[in-house]
Every structure is written in C-alpha cells, then in structure tokens.
C-alpha cells in the first residue's frame, strides 16, 4: 500500500472479499490514530457517585468544529494521500416519460470540458455496475427511458477546482444539457413488495387465534394483473393462504352488513413525500492508487458493513484491477437516508477516474434534494368497526399503498412494517391489513425515520379521535377502553415482549392540565385573542424497534492497568450511541470504556459466516446451516430501526458481563478470601448477586471496596478472562448457545464468542449447541415496542390559516435510560421532525418535485425553532419498572404521536378534520373562509 506503514497493519487488518483485501480504519478511531496520529473522541467524564456521564464523548469535537464528518475531509487531511484534491459532479435527468438521448456540453466551451467524462458506455467498457441491491443502470444509457426523475446519466471529473466550480455553475438549471427523444410515458412495473396480514382472534384476547400470521402465515399474492396484486381465492379449510383470504372475505362481508350495534367508519388518508433533510448532504472522497492498485474511500454511512462487503465485489468485476480497499467510515447523520444508499458507489466510480488524484464527489443542497432517499408517500383506506354500546373496537381493515419510486431500496420492508404497525396501541379482535409498495417515476424512497409507521399510525390516531366524537366519548377515555395490554396479541398474533405500558401513558395524559382544562383555556384564549381559534389534540402510539434480523458484534477488553476498551460494529449517526455503548460497560466493569471504536468491520478475532436470507429461510434450511459452528443467520446490522439502545446494547452488555463473571468476580473473591480462615469473606455469606459497583470500586455484602486497577492486576495474575468478543442475533427473541467456560456448560444469549485469558491471544470458543429462534418467528413481524403520547396546544389564525404551536407535552415509556440527556435530545429532535411532517414539509412527487433539480430549503419548509415551541415544550418519562428493565429503542416513535396530536388539535380549533398531510395554512384557510 502506498505510504502505508506495514508495522501498523495490525490496527486495520481486514478480510478478503471477492479477491480484494479490505481494510477498515474508521476516522478518529484507534486505528486511524495509529495511522495518522490524530484523535477526536474523548474519554468519558464519569460521575462514579451518580453513575452518569457528563458529556458525549464526541461532543467536544462537534462543538469545536473538528473534522468528525466525512464531508469535512479533503485530500490534505489524509497524510498518505496526494495532497491535491480533484472534484466531480453528477448530471441527472429531469424528465422520466421520454427517451434520454444523450448529453450536450457545448455550454462549457473548450475551456470547461471535464478531464474525465464518465457515462454508461464508459462503465460498460470498464465492467463497472451497481451491486445487485441497487438495480440496473448506475448511469442511464442513451436510448432508454429513465426509471425515475433524478436518475444519474454522467459523472464529470475535474482536476482543477476553479474549472469544476465554473463548469458546474454553467450547467446548473440549464435546459438542453440533457437531450430527450420520443415521449414513451413513464415505465410501468410491478410493485416492489406486497404484504397482507390477516388475524381472527379467539373468544378472548388471550385465547388461541383462529387464524393469524404467526400461527399460520401472512398472505401473499398469487400473481399480478395490471401491476397490482392478485390475491389467492378464499376457501374455508383450504391451503393456509386460502384460509386467510376466506377469513378476510368474512370480515369484508361483515363490514358491509354490520350488526345493528356496530359503527363502521371508512376513511382515506394520504401523506406526502418528505426529504429526510440530513444536514450532512451525501458525499464521498476517494483515491485510486494505480501503482499499488489500492482504492481508498472516505464515506459517511449508517451501514459500513454493507459498503465494506459490496464495494470490493463491485470493484472485482471491473476491468481495472483493485487489489485492496481501504475504507474510512465516518460519523454521520442520516435519519435512514444513509442506510443502504447508493452514493458511496458513485464516489468509488468517480475515484477510479481521478488519474491518480483523490476525487471528491459531494452534493450541494439542490443535488441532495434531487437524489437523496425520500420518505414514502402513503395512500391509506381504513375501515374500523366499533361496538356503539361498549365502545370496544371490533374489526380493522386497511388497504394501503406506498410510492417506492424508481428503485426498490427498502420499500418491501417499509410497507410491511407500515401494515403491521397500523394497529398502534389498540387491540383488535379481527384485522385484515394489506400494503403495496408501488414502483413509480418518483425518486426512490428508503428507510426514513418512522419507516412506514409514521404514516400508518398517525392515520389510525386521527381516526380514533373521529370515532370517539361519533360515539360521544372522551378521546383518551375511548383509547383506554381499547388499549393493548400485556399478554394480548398484536395483529400478527404475536405477544409483545414484556409489560406493555401504553395504558400508563394514557392515564398520565388524561390528568394533564392541557387536557383537563382544555375547555376553560379555549374560552379564555379566544376571548383574549380575537381572530384566532384555540385547540388541543392528543395522539398516542407504540412503535416497534428492530428488523427481525438484528445482529451485531461487540468486543470488550480490560487492560492490566484497569483500562477498558470497546469495539462495536454499530455506526454513530447522531444518536449518541458511541457514548451510550461506552457507558454500558460501567454496569459490569464499574466505569465506561476509556477507548471506544465504532463502525468496526474487522472481526477476524471472532470468525462468523452467514448464508441464506434470515427472513425467508425455511426451518429445515436453518437447521442444516446451523450445524456449521461458525454460522449465523445474519452477519451485521446497520445503525437503523432504533436498534442501538436495545439490540446493540445487548452485545456490549454480554461481552462486559462475561469479563465480570469469569474475570472480575473470581479475582475479587480471591482477594477477599485471602488470609487465615478464609479471609474477610469467611464471616459473611458473599454471593455474586450481592456485587455492587460503588464510588471507588467493587464491593459485595460488606466486603472491602476494590478498585478496578487492583482487580485487573489480580485477573491477569490468575489468567482470568480479560477480553470477550461476542456476536448476537435476534429474530424477535435472542439466539442462545451453550458454551463450556471453566469446565462448566452455560447457556448464554449470544451465538458466537471469543475470549482472552490473561495476556494470551483471543481464542474462539466452539459452541456446544445453538438455539436460534424458529423461522416461524418471522411471521410475528414485531414483538418489541415503546410508547409515546403527545398533547399539543395550538392556535389557528382565521384570516391566514396559520397554525401556531403554543406548547406540547410528551409522555414516553422507554425502559431504563442509559444516558438521559441523549433520550431528551432524541425526543426533542423527533418532535421537530413530526411537526414538520404534520404542518410544513411539502414535496411534490413528480415533475414539479425535487427530481427537477430546483428544490432547496428556500422552497421546502423545514421546521424552525419558532415552529416547534422550543422553549415551552415539556415531557415526562415513565420510570422503569425496576433497575433490570432493558433500555428500549425510541428514536423513531418520538416523532409520530405529535403528527396526530396536531391534526386533532386543528380539528378541535376549526371543526374540520383533515386527512391529507401536511396540513398547511392554505388548506386551513380554504375551510375557514
């Protein structure tokens, strides 16, 4: 490797994928520091008495503007790169209903022509194409109709920045640069994904279901007609899918001719496409060193493992040899938009045409709107039946479509999650929920924060208010009659994990002054503010967290001096997981990790192999594959789906627990039992469950406090466990395996383990047996939930329709808090995003939308401090049931209930129920005048 010190390879040793050696040195990790003598993350400032961390470990770097994000990195910041930086930009189509005919770069004249013009023909010549996940046509060839607006057609590479800047300005917003031929109409394609979940419960909420997805199966189409699904024929006693459709037919008939005491309400709701508006636009900086055939890449990504796995496969197929890939994944903020997104691959291609110089490819804001992953626009038809006499929900039918745009991305799972979440916090005895992810000419939509549940649950919450009004019931009281309680089943027939506490959220909301005094406040406000109307609204949801195939690596080490180091596969994307994962070590080791490394992809210390698809494999296939002692259903999850607090924490906690059980505790007992007659421990009964970390160190049942430094020295003397690396897998429950530790067979909730004894090297332990969750568990679709309820107080100006958010109060249940300040930050940020979704953020899907390249924040109303009641908002967090409650994922759920709360508040103020989002001032003005 060019200018690469071989003695430092141990810091970045990687794997060989498709014949390409892959090395990872995450920026500002220990690996990067070893290479470039630079360190950004600070050691945690730990308050041992209160067991709290004082600051984020990346906080100082961020507030001081240090180079934490990939967008800040230039060639001169990489000491082993050439110091001159080349630049590139992408040209994209603005029409998707006619043939693309080619480029006209005459506006550039002779002086501003690119040093390299990369087109589809060049990629075909050089054997470069997208990984399979991203579909065809990395660059659109002339002669084809674009699959979607904003599809890339060419990359222009410049070695001189001034030429690059002038050329980009010369072509921006100019018609005629891209030529078009005959009008063909947009491409017509089958949906990216289709799902249907049918459930008919037993006599009570706790008895066996007659039919459900978990007990039987989800229903899938038997074919497509005019690009829409054709469902199986319903047949009583037929095949499982036919039985499901038989019950769906019975429900539909019952809705059409309901019992006398039923109220059946049918409503249609729509939500807009939304830009995720991550404030770090997509970017990449790469250098291809032809002399050593090495590709160096700096990229922001939520899924570094995916990039590390797919990029070498992509390059291995090219005609220009790449022997080594050195990847520097960086901190980023993505809200889903940088999870399995295609920009790193465009960056890699640009780097291949730099003629020896590093090439920086970075979107400006117009380009970001034109190309970044969007939130899916949903169209939902809901039918809900409720018993008029009891106020109890009876049946729920939902048929929803989501616009997935021109590439599939995560559309199939987004629509699946949207359908399974639609029930929100309620129990339905019967339900038939279907969702279709449509292919269109819109920009491709991906795993935006909320992941389909924002759309479907907000609609459910709006409908609950309307049902309550029809029944003349208090909206919160109506919700409390129907709330899903612990042990009840969701719409897939699965029993959610642990205690379901949405009822407690409702109880607290019902007695909050914003709710109990709303009529009095309305009268007072409107009398004091003529020309304005006052309203209060409420929304409460519980959202799943995780994907059903969550997996991660964690490695914890204890030095002889008592220093703790952590390595984790998760990527920091603004959630603060780098801090929280470091803090988790304190539970078992008394203090946070002083050294922490994230986006780690080198797990040679714990070899794990994977094959097959964890979501669709049969039980027989899983049983066969798990005979390989290194096999797991999945290798490594990206940072997404609110997975850091619960799922990533599990691997960190289990690695630290292993060191405590097999290193720290035996060492402590050895010290306490030293001396005549069994030492200080003999007079007392000292059990491991009595162990407590206190200020100064470890004690148990009155034993002398031992500092971690003293304990670590003893662990090394005894050759106890000083390091543990684990791999974990969760399919709506944790995989477990039997391992023999200290000659004792133990079942541990991990599926792979390597350990270090004393100063010896790591050794991988063979598992004696493994217990993966059955594949049928996939049909549960979700078992983990966290709940949030939000009250919103607004005023509406009659003349303009403008909504002013006066204040809002949120009540959240999320288990034990790892770092309370991070939870508060997530709640505040999520609320702002939800407010934007409900009231402001409007983005047309097609030709007048962002695909035309003219959208920026001057046209797109991102919520500002004045829009979110930033100084007046309040919150309550339910205390954990006990200190043993796990932390729950809550980064997505925090943005959802405020959407319904605002729309319900507008209805309270104006008397009109809106069902299409966003509800902007002009929409309100139309109904008030």
């Amino acid at each position: 490797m060019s200018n690469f010190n071989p003695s430092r390879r141990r810091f970045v040793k990687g794997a060989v994928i498709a014949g390409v050696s892959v090395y990872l040195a995450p920026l500002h990790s220990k690996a990067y520091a070893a290479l470039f003598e630079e360190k950004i993350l600070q050691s945690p400032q730990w308050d041992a008495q209160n067991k709290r961390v004082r600051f984020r470990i990346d906080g100082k770097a961020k507030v001081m503007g240090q180079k934490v994000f990939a967008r800040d990195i230039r060639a001169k910041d990489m000491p082993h790169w050439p110091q001159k930086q080349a630049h590139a930009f992408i040209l994209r189509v603005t029409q998707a209903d006619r043939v693309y005919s080619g480029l006209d770069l005459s506006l550039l004249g002779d002086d501003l022509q690119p040093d390299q013009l990369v087109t589809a023909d060049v990629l075909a010549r050089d054997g470069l194409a997208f990984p399979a996940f991203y579909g065809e046509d990395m660059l659109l060839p002339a002669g084809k109709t674009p699959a979607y607006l904003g599809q890339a057609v060419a990359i222009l590479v410049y070695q001189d920045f001034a030429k690059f800047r002038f050329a980009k300005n010369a072509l921006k917003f100019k018609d005629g640069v891209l030529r078009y031929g005959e009008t063909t109409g947009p491409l017509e394609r089958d949906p990216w994904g289709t799902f249907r979940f049918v459930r008919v419960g037993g006599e009570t909420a706790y008895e066996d279901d007659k039919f459900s997805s978990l007990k039987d199966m989800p229903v899938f189409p038997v074919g497509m007609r005019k690009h829409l699904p054709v469902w199986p024929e319903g047949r009583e006693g037929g095949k499982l899918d036919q039985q499901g459709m038989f019950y769906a037919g019975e429900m539909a008939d019952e809705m059409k001719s309901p019992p006398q005491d039923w109220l059946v309400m049918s409503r249609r709701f729509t939500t807009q496409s939304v830009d995720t508006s991550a404030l770090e636009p997509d970017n990449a900086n790469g250098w291809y060193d032809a002399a050593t055939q090495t590709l160096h890449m700096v990229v922001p990504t939520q899924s570094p493992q995916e990039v590390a796995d797919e990029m070498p496969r992509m390059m291995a197929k090219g005609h220009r040899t790449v022997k080594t890939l050195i990847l520097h994944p960086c901190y980023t903020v993505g809200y889903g938009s940088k999870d399995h997104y295609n920009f790193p691959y465009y960056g890699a291609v640009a780097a291949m045409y730099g003629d020896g110089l590093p090439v920086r490819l970075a979107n400006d804001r117009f380009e970001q709107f034109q190309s970044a992953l969007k939130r899916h626009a949903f169209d939902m038809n809901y039918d809900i039946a409720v018993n008029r006499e009891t106020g109890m929900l009876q049946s729920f039918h939902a048929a929803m479509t989501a616009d997935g745009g021109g590439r599939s991305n995560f559309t199939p799972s987004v629509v699946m999650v949207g359908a399974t979440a639609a029930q929100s916090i309620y129990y339905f005895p019967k339900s038939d929920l279907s969702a279709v992810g449509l292919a269109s000419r819109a920009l491709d939509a991906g795993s935006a924060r909320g992941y389909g549940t924002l759309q479907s649950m907000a609609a459910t919450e709006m409908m609950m208010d309307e049902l309550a009004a029809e029944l003349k019931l208090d909206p919160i009281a109506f919700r409390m009659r129907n709330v899903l309680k612990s042990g009840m089943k969701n719409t897939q027939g699965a029993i959610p994990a642990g205690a379901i506490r949405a009822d407690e959220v409702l109880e607290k909301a019902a007695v909050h002054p914003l709710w109990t005094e709303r009529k009095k406040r309305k009268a007072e406000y409107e009398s004091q503010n003529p020309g304005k109307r006052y309203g209060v609204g409420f929304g409460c949801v519980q959202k799943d967290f995780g994907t059903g195939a969550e997996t991660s690596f964690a490695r914890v080490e204890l030095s002889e001096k008592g220093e703790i180091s952590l390595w984790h596969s998760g990527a920091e994307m603004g959630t603060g997981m780098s801090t929280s994962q470091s803090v988790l070590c304190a539970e078992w080791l008394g203090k946070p990790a002083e050294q922490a490394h994230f986006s780690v992809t080198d797990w040679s210390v714990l070899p794990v192999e994977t094959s097959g698809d964890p979501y669709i494999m049969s039980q027989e296939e899983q049983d066969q594959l798990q005979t390989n002692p290194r096999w797991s259903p999945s290798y490594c999850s990206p940072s997404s789906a609110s997975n850091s607090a619960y799922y990533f924490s599990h691997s960190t906690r289990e690695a630290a627990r292993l060191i405590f059980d097999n290193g720290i505790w035996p060492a402590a007992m050895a010290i306490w039992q030293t001396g005549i007659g069994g030492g200080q421990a003999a007079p007392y009964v000292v059990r491991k469950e009595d162990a407590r970390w206190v200020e100064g160190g470890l004690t148990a049942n009155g034993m002398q406090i031992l500092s971690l430094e003293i304990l670590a020295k003893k662990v090394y003397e005894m050759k106890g466990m000083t390091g543990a690396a684990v791999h974990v897998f969760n399919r709506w429950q944790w995989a477990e395996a039997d391992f023999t530790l200290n000659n004792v067979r133990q079942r541990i909730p991990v599926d792979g383990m390597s350990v270090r004894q004393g100063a010896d090297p790591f050794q991988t332990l063979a598992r004696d047996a493994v217990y993966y969750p059955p594949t049928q568990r996939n049909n549960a679709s979700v078992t983990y939930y966290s709940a949030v309820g939000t009250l919103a107080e607004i005023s509406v100006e009659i003349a303009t329709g403008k909504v002013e958010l006066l204040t809002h109060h949120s009540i959240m249940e999320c288990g034990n808090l790892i770092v309370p300040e991070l939870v508060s930050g997530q709640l505040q940020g999520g609320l702002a995003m939800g407010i934007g979704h409900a009231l402001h953020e409007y983005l047309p899907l097609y030709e007048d939308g962002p695909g035309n390249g003219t959208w920026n924040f001057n046209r797109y109303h991102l919520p500002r401090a004045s829009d979110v009641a930033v100084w007046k908002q309040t919150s309550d967090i339910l205390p954990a049931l006990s200190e043993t409650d796990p932390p729950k994922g809550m980064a997505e759920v925090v943005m959802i209930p405020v959407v319904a709360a605002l729309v319900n508040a507008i209805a309270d103020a104006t008397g009109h129920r809106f069902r299409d989002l966003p509800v902007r001032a002009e929409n309100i003005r139309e109904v008030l005048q």
Side-chain angles (χ1 to χ4, degrees):
M1 280 170 274
S2 176
N3 300 320
F4 193 81
N5 187 335
S7 67
R8 293 172 173 170
R9 288 192 183 188
R10 61 191 178 91
F11 291 107
V12 289
K13 183 182 177 185
V16 176
I17 301 174
V20 179
S21 298
V22 184
Y23 294 85
L24 273 292
L27 281 166
H28 316 310
S29 66
K30 185 176 179 181
Y32 187 89
L35 288 167
F36 311 130
E37 289 72 48
E38 184 169 346
K39 184 177 186 295
I40 294 295
L41 298 185
Q42 305 300 304
S43 295
Q45 295 191 29
W46 182 242
D47 179 348
Q49 183 175 4
N50 297 308
K51 298 185 178 179
R52 297 276 290 270
V53 68
R54 291 191 175 94
F55 306 106
R56 289 177 64 139
I57 65 174
D58 57 352
K60 182 178 177 182
K62 288 183 175 181
V63 299
M64 295 182 67
Q66 292 175 286
K67 292 181 183 294
V68 173
F69 297 99
R71 191 171 181 86
D72 299 324
I73 302 300
R74 302 294 188 275
K76 65 182 180 180
D77 299 310
M78 307 296 286
H80 64 304
W81 288 22
Q83 298 299 283
K84 183 178 179 181
Q85 179 75 69
H87 298 267
F89 64 94
I90 296 175
L91 294 177
R92 299 178 180 275
V93 299
T94 56
Q95 303 290 330
D97 62 348
R98 59 203 68 187
V99 171
Y100 164 65
S101 298
L103 292 174
D104 180 357
L105 298 181
S106 58
L107 283 173
L108 297 179
D110 293 334
D111 294 336
L112 297 179
Q113 293 296 321
D115 295 300
Q116 289 281 356
L117 176 63
V118 186
T119 63
D121 290 340
V122 173
L123 296 187
R125 179 198 72 195
D126 294 343
L128 291 170
F130 266 147
F133 177 82
Y134 299 98
E136 300 177 344
D137 296 333
M138 187 176 196
L139 297 175
L140 181 69
K144 291 183 73 171
T145 299
Y148 59 100
L149 294 155
Q151 187 166 4
V153 298
I155 303 173
L156 285 69
V157 182
Y158 289 84
Q159 296 185 11
D160 179 80
F161 177 77
K163 277 182 64 177
F164 158 79
R165 189 70 262 172
F166 281 117
K168 189 172 184 178
N169 288 342
L171 299 181
K172 202 171 201 61
F173 312 130
K174 298 296 193 301
D175 294 329
V177 176
L178 275 66
R179 300 195 303 264
Y180 299 97
E182 64 173 315
T183 300
T184 60
L187 297 182
E188 295 185 1
R189 290 165 288 177
D190 286 345
W192 299 125
T194 304
F195 296 88
R196 191 164 190 165
F197 302 90
V198 177
R199 176 177 175 266
V200 178
E203 292 299 317
T204 71
Y206 304 96
E207 294 183 36
D208 288 345
D209 291 338
K210 292 181 181 177
F211 185 93
S212 70
S213 300
L214 179 61
K215 176 175 172 284
D216 301 289
M217 65 176 291
V219 180
F220 295 99
V222 293
M224 293 288 163
R225 184 178 299 127
K226 295 184 178 180
H227 305 293
L228 289 174
V230 176
W231 299 105
E233 176 187 359
R235 183 177 301 170
E236 187 175 15
K239 295 179 181 178
L240 285 178
D241 58 348
Q242 294 174 326
Q243 291 181 44
M245 289 307 298
F246 168 77
Y247 287 115
E250 280 198 327
M251 275 184 262
D253 292 342
E254 193 173 35
M255 287 278 201
K256 291 174 186 173
S257 302
Q260 289 264 326
D261 56 356
W262 277 24
L263 163 66
V264 177
M265 182 176 285
S266 299
R267 296 291 184 265
R268 181 188 177 197
F269 301 89
T270 65
T271 69
Q272 76 275 38
S273 170
V274 167
D275 191 89
T276 50
S277 301
L279 294 183
E280 182 193 22
D282 295 347
N283 65 93
N285 203 343
W287 169 45
Y288 176 63
D289 181 0
T292 61
Q293 299 174 323
T294 299
L295 176 63
H296 305 256
M297 292 298 303
V298 174
V299 294
T301 175
Q302 294 173 225
S303 43
Q305 188 62 50
E306 181 251 350
V307 177
D309 189 55
E310 292 293 346
M311 192 172 285
R313 298 182 196 281
M314 171 182 168
M315 290 301 166
K317 296 175 182 177
H319 300 160
R320 197 177 305 186
T321 302
V322 175
K323 291 183 177 178
T324 304
L325 169 66
I326 300 178
L327 185 67
H328 301 277
C330 296
Y331 276 35
T332 190
V333 178
Y335 309 117
S337 66
K338 292 185 177 71
D339 177 13
H340 286 73
Y341 74 128
N342 58 31
F343 206 87
Y345 305 99
Y346 283 112
V349 167
M352 298 302 292
Y353 297 93
D355 295 327
L357 294 180
V359 179
R360 182 173 184 263
L361 181 67
N363 279 346
D364 62 27
R365 271 293 159 195
F366 292 101
E367 294 167 321
Q368 185 71 6
F369 270 93
Q370 191 182 22
S371 63
L373 291 171
K374 300 294 182 275
R375 174 172 292 125
H376 292 75
F378 267 60
D379 191 330
M380 298 161 282
N381 289 284
Y382 284 6
D383 306 291
I384 295 181
V386 60
N387 185 298
R388 290 181 182 273
E389 304 300 323
T390 65
M392 300 298 292
L393 297 168
Q394 301 297 313
S395 189
F396 185 13
H397 172 266
M400 57 188 79
T401 60
D403 195 316
R407 295 189 191 274
S408 174
N409 203 272
F410 280 135
T411 292
S413 61
V414 167
V415 297
M416 178 190 73
V417 172
T420 58
Q423 75 174 102
S424 188
I425 62 169
Y426 307 105
Y427 177 74
F428 289 92
K430 291 180 283 191
S431 52
D432 174 18
L433 313 173
S434 64
V436 180
L438 300 174
S440 78
R441 67 188 186 280
L443 276 69
D444 45 328
S447 57
R449 190 179 197 174
Y451 211 84
T453 69
L454 168 71
Q455 298 91 322
S456 64
M457 287 197 290
T460 303
E461 276 302 281
M462 293 179 224
M463 201 160 175
M464 288 298 153
D465 256 40
E466 195 167 355
L467 283 165
E470 185 75 17
L471 296 170
K472 296 181 171 51
L473 293 173
D474 176 273
I476 295 181
F478 174 59
R479 287 169 168 85
M480 290 178 71
R481 291 190 191 195
N482 291 284
V483 68
L484 185 79
K485 296 184 178 178
S486 304
M488 288 182 172
K489 301 184 190 73
N490 62 21
T491 48
Q492 298 75 255
I495 298 174
I500 298 297
R501 303 179 67 191
D503 54 347
E504 297 179 52
V505 174
L506 294 175
E507 288 166 4
K508 288 185 75 70
V511 298
H512 193 277
L514 276 177
W515 190 251
T516 58
E517 299 174 7
R518 64 190 188 281
K519 291 182 180 178
K520 174 187 170 186
R521 291 179 183 229
K522 182 178 180 69
E524 291 175 351
Y525 185 89
E526 291 182 355
S527 68
Q528 296 169 12
N529 295 273
K532 292 186 177 182
R533 293 183 183 175
Y534 174 97
V536 171
F538 177 68
C540 184
V541 304
Q542 59 186 17
K543 188 192 177 300
D544 64 289
F545 49 96
T547 63
E550 286 292 345
T551 181
S552 64
F553 288 90
R555 172 181 162 197
V556 177
E557 291 187 21
L558 178 66
S559 78
E560 196 166 1
K561 295 180 180 179
E563 296 167 337
I564 303 166
S565 298
L566 168 68
W567 290 258
H568 205 287
S569 57
E572 174 64 78
M573 55 178 246
T575 60
M577 67 85 66
S578 54
T579 301
S580 62
Q581 295 303 311
S582 301
V583 167
L584 278 166
C585 294
E587 178 181 351
W588 291 102
L589 303 179
K591 62 179 182 179
E594 287 95 345
Q595 297 287 335
H597 321 287
F598 300 95
S599 297
V600 177
T601 57
D602 171 20
W603 293 100
S604 52
V605 70
L606 176 55
V608 172
E609 300 171 12
T610 189
S611 57
D613 187 322
Y615 297 103
I616 62 175
M617 67 174 53
S618 67
Q619 188 62 48
E620 292 74 19
E621 182 183 7
Q622 177 170 287
D623 291 344
Q624 175 59 38
L625 290 170
Q626 73 183 36
T627 59
N628 175 354
R630 291 186 173 183
W631 181 82
S632 178
S634 184
Y635 188 76
C636 186
S637 294
S639 290
S640 61
S642 299
N643 61 3
S644 68
Y646 179 72
Y647 296 98
F648 286 177
S649 296
H650 181 75
S651 52
T652 301
R653 185 180 287 111
E654 290 305 315
R657 183 199 298 263
L658 282 166
I659 293 174
F660 179 84
D661 285 348
N662 300 280
I664 297 292
W665 181 252
M669 288 302 299
I671 295 172
W672 290 329
Q673 290 173 340
T674 298
I676 188 170
Q680 62 179 285
Y684 285 155
V685 177
V686 183
R687 298 185 177 97
K688 187 160 57 175
E689 55 265 35
D690 296 325
R692 298 290 186 274
W693 288 102
V694 297
E695 189 171 9
L698 183 72
T699 184
N701 198 34
M703 292 298 100
Q704 169 195 1
I705 296 174
L706 301 174
S707 70
L708 187 59
E709 292 79 2
I710 291 172
L711 288 166
K713 184 177 180 181
K714 188 66 174 178
V715 175
Y716 274 81
E717 285 177 7
M718 296 172 60
K719 296 204 71 172
M721 190 179 295
T722 57
V726 300
H727 181 268
V728 300
F729 174 78
N730 183 292
R731 183 187 285 129
W732 306 121
Q733 68 184 72
W734 289 108
E736 298 179 320
D738 291 341
F739 296 92
T740 299
L741 292 166
N742 301 319
N743 298 316
V744 177
R745 181 164 167 160
Q746 304 176 37
R747 183 173 296 190
I748 300 172
V750 306
D751 67 345
M753 183 195 305
S754 288
V755 300
R756 188 182 73 183
Q757 304 294 138
D760 293 344
F762 269 87
Q763 296 289 327
T764 301
L765 298 186
R767 59 196 187 201
D768 300 318
V770 68
Y771 311 94
Y772 285 111
T775 59
Q776 182 77 6
R777 197 80 173 154
N778 278 317
N779 296 342
S781 295
V782 56
T783 59
Y784 301 106
Y785 293 100
S786 51
V788 178
T790 299
L791 290 156
E793 179 188 42
I794 66 153
S795 72
V796 177
E797 191 171 56
I798 298 173
T800 64
K802 181 182 177 182
V803 174
E804 180 184 359
L805 180 54
L806 303 173
T807 188
H808 50 92
H809 179 76
S810 291
I811 304 157
M812 179 163 61
E813 187 278 313
C814 59
N816 271 306
L817 312 186
I818 305 171
V819 182
E821 293 81 1
L822 293 176
V823 174
S824 176
Q826 286 293 310
L827 178 60
Q828 293 171 46
L831 283 161
M833 292 183 75
I835 292 163
H837 185 80
L839 301 179
H840 304 296
E841 296 181 54
Y842 172 70
L843 199 62
L845 273 171
Y846 301 120
E847 282 72 16
D848 54 348
N852 66 23
T854 65
W855 278 75
N856 205 329
F857 287 130
N858 61 327
R859 302 177 67 182
Y860 188 79
H861 186 155
L862 201 65
R864 298 165 177 82
S866 58
D867 296 317
V868 302
V870 66
W871 300 118
K872 298 178 181 178
Q873 59 183 294
T874 55
S875 62
D876 282 329
I877 298 177
L878 296 185
L881 298 174
S882 79
E883 72 279 5
T884 63
D885 285 18
K888 295 184 177 182
M890 41 64 66
E892 292 181 282
V893 67
V894 289
M895 74 174 295
I896 304 172
V898 71
V899 175
L902 286 167
V903 180
N904 291 335
I906 293 170
D908 184 46
T910 66
H912 182 85
R913 295 192 181 278
F914 290 92
R915 303 186 186 96
D916 304 299
L917 298 180
V919 183
R920 297 184 292 165
E922 52 261 47
N923 307 126
I924 298 173
R925 197 164 56 241
E926 288 174 3
V927 303
L928 290 179
Q929 297 176 353

